[in-house]
Amino acid sequence: MTTVDPNRDININVPVMVRVEGEGALEFTASEGNIENLHLKIYEPPRLFEKFLEGENYTEVPTMAARICGICPIAYQMTSIRALERLFGVDPGPWVHDMRRVVYAGEWLQSHALHIHLLATPDFLGYDNAIAMAQDHPQTVKRGMKLQALGNDLLSLLGGRSVHPIGLRVGGFYRAPEKREVADLVDRLEDAVEDAIGVVEWTAGLDLPVDNQAFNCVAIRHPNEYGINEGELVSTQGQRVSFDSYSERFKEHQVKHSTAFYSTLDGESYFVGPLARVNLNFTQLPKEIQNLCNDLNLKFPSNNMFDNVRARAIESYYSVLEALRLLRAYKRPRQAYVDVTPKPGIARHATEAPRGVIYHEFKIDGNGKVQTASMIPPTSQNQASIEANLKNAVLEYGLDHPDDELRMLCEKIIRNYDPCISCSTHFLNLTVHRK
């Protein structure tokens, strides 16, 4: 191993992070053996979606919210829909509940397959990108793309299309699929089970770095099912937070180097995402998944941040099994939604986007129009945790490593979180003093 003076001046700047969604940078300086600053700089410009929603009728919210993210549009739609339904006192019934889990499984599957095969594992196998990796591992990448395509088609089944879906509404769905459409996907899901198992086995066999961190995991927990759309927020430190009291316990604040807000729970940073979910809800996964993990010696809860990629593989397998379970029992209803009568008040809800907890809050007036909107994505919640992780990992790795190795370590850690940077951008609080 090449070593250099750990007390040297270190200035590492990565002006554009590659293989992440959105635009961000890394700034890292150290001197005399101490880290002076280390920032994940998010400079993506404000996208103003919260402002766009003000004055819009509640029926427009799901369609507009889907435009926030091209990878997790369902999460933005679903969170806003459930928030409004809870305010309006709407219960769409078991068919809508089940189909929402199906469409969410589609989003998790396509997002996780994308991250595992195109964004994260090239780092672990020593490739610059997935194209280079595919030359040596063609079947692995093809299997991943096959699962991603299946996820996209599950999205299209109920969303109408896989990019920015339009099939979801407050009260349910605009349309119930025909049985023949569902039957085709059931066949493909049955065929995908072995592929999903193969991805879990493959990630279990990867020689991943070890990066143990003392982070506080936060995820949704439900007493009867793996937490996605319903339940309460729980943490590894024993905190329990209802969706209605989210804003009392979770706080956001600005920092100079980022256009994304930082979020804290009871004043401390925390961690959301696939590994947090698996750590907190492992016993609610189907027995065949738990048994597979035991056979592969995958132990949860895990403090190794790089087990995030294995958690994604496990949730990909879960998505296939959950969609298969629900679609095998599919019965087409006479109507795919229940009627809704709006009422004024504060609408609040949280769901689990592929990258972690997402929270929405809307103030609705007596005509069903949005007065204010707040949409808190996973990446802004993880940003303080990412930076703390980077500092700890660099010190553990040692400043006696060359700059290029330190830079690669930092990039690998950031990509391991799969930050969705463009989603993380709120509009900054702006005060203009004019004379």
Side-chain angles (χ1 to χ4, degrees):
M1 179 181 71
T2 303
T3 60
V4 294
D5 181 5
N7 295 314
R8 71 193 187 285
D9 290 339
I10 302 173
N11 289 289
I12 296 175
N13 279 289
V14 181
V16 180
M17 291 294 303
V18 297
R19 283 190 275 132
V20 298
E21 203 286 329
E23 297 178 350
L26 170 67
E27 183 180 76
F28 168 31
T29 61
S31 180
E32 297 181 351
N34 296 311
I35 295 176
E36 295 182 340
N37 69 66
L38 197 160
H39 295 314
L40 170 62
K41 301 173 68 176
I42 292 178
Y43 53 80
E44 184 101 6
R47 300 174 69 217
L48 304 174
F49 273 94
E50 291 158 326
K51 282 293 182 186
F52 290 156
L53 288 171
E54 292 181 6
E56 296 292 336
N57 192 279
Y58 78 92
T59 55
E60 300 297 323
V61 174
T63 305
M64 294 179 70
R67 267 66 176 179
I68 295 175
C69 183
I71 301 176
C72 8
I74 293 296
Y76 283 92
Q77 287 188 304
M78 196 76 78
T79 311
S80 63
I81 287 170
R82 287 298 296 124
L84 292 164
E85 287 177 350
R86 292 181 66 227
L87 170 64
F88 300 161
V90 174
D91 179 6
W95 185 87
V96 171
H97 167 271
D98 288 351
M99 292 306 105
R100 285 175 172 171
R101 288 185 74 82
V102 169
V103 73
Y104 228 116
E107 180 158 281
W108 276 13
L109 182 60
Q110 67 89 12
S111 178
H112 287 345
L114 170 71
H115 181 257
I116 292 169
H117 298 91
L118 298 187
L119 306 181
T121 50
D123 280 337
F124 306 134
L125 296 175
Y127 298 99
D128 289 336
N129 52 59
I131 295 174
M133 189 176 97
Q135 294 178 357
D136 295 332
H137 303 273
Q139 296 308 316
T140 299
V141 175
K142 285 181 181 176
R143 181 179 60 192
M145 296 304 93
K146 180 181 173 185
L147 290 172
Q148 184 185 0
L150 177 58
N152 283 338
D153 290 340
L154 284 169
L155 279 171
S156 299
L157 176 72
L158 291 148
R161 60 193 189 195
S162 62
V163 179
H164 305 319
I166 52 175
L168 286 70
R169 58 180 288 172
V170 180
F173 295 88
Y174 283 102
R175 163 185 177 273
E178 301 286 348
K179 281 190 174 181
R180 57 178 170 73
E181 301 173 77
V182 174
D184 176 60
L185 277 169
V186 168
D187 291 342
R188 291 176 59 194
L189 285 162
E190 289 173 343
D191 181 58
V193 171
E194 287 303 313
D195 288 334
I197 292 172
V199 175
V200 177
E201 292 173 336
W202 176 63
T203 57
L206 291 173
D207 185 18
L208 298 181
V210 175
D211 179 22
N212 287 318
Q213 298 287 326
F215 47 78
N216 185 26
C217 295
V218 172
I220 291 175
R221 176 179 290 163
H222 189 278
N224 303 322
E225 58 191 15
Y226 195 71
I228 298 178
N229 289 326
E230 311 291 342
E232 64 175 349
L233 292 160
V234 299
S235 78
T236 47
Q237 293 181 358
Q239 292 141 307
R240 299 179 61 178
V241 184
S242 69
F243 299 156
D244 287 336
S245 58
Y246 181 99
S247 58
E248 298 170 12
R249 307 283 294 279
F250 292 85
K251 302 293 182 185
E252 289 190 300
H253 63 276
Q254 291 179 229
V255 294
K256 291 182 178 179
H257 63 269
S258 176
T259 54
F261 285 160
Y262 278 44
S263 188
T264 58
L265 166 59
D266 295 337
E268 302 290 337
S269 64
Y270 58 98
F271 169 56
V272 300
L275 182 56
R277 288 193 292 259
V278 173
N279 276 348
L280 288 163
N281 298 319
F282 181 78
T283 57
Q284 289 191 310
L285 290 166
K287 284 299 179 186
E288 53 262 60
I289 297 180
Q290 295 186 43
N291 292 337
L292 177 63
C293 291
N294 290 333
D295 292 344
L296 296 171
N297 201 31
L298 295 177
K299 303 297 183 184
F300 297 97
S302 167
N303 290 326
N304 181 8
M305 285 305 305
F306 286 107
D307 275 340
N308 224 350
V309 70
R310 290 169 174 149
R312 283 187 170 86
I314 290 166
E315 286 195 338
S316 297
Y317 183 21
Y318 174 72
S319 298
V320 171
L321 291 183
E322 182 69 348
L324 189 56
R325 178 182 73 85
L326 295 168
L327 291 183
R328 273 177 173 159
Y330 181 80
K331 293 181 180 179
R332 192 169 190 265
R334 296 178 62 183
Q335 184 167 294
Y337 61 90
V338 297
D339 293 321
V340 173
T341 301
K343 67 178 183 180
I346 305 297
R348 305 181 179 92
H349 198 70
T351 74
E352 288 282 357
R355 292 162 181 77
V357 174
I358 178 172
Y359 173 78
H360 288 182
E361 182 173 310
F362 306 102
K363 184 177 182 181
I364 305 296
D365 68 15
N367 296 315
K369 293 185 181 296
V370 178
Q371 290 185 302
T372 62
S374 177
M375 309 168 98
I376 302 174
T379 293
S380 66
Q381 299 185 67
N382 270 343
Q383 192 166 355
S385 178
I386 294 173
E387 292 187 347
N389 188 171
L390 286 166
K391 289 178 183 175
N392 293 336
V394 166
L395 290 174
E396 179 71 22
Y397 186 59
L399 294 172
D400 55 345
H401 288 77
D403 288 6
D404 282 348
E405 291 184 16
L406 293 173
R407 177 181 55 78
M408 285 302 299
L409 172 69
C410 291
E411 289 193 46
K412 192 181 298 184
I413 289 170
I414 292 169
R415 278 192 286 271
N416 181 55
Y417 280 85
D418 192 17
C420 192
I421 293 175
S422 63
C423 296
S424 71
T425 310
H426 289 267
F427 184 57
L428 297 172
N429 290 336
L430 177 64
T431 302
V432 179
H433 298 283
R434 293 187 175 89
K435 294 183 178 179

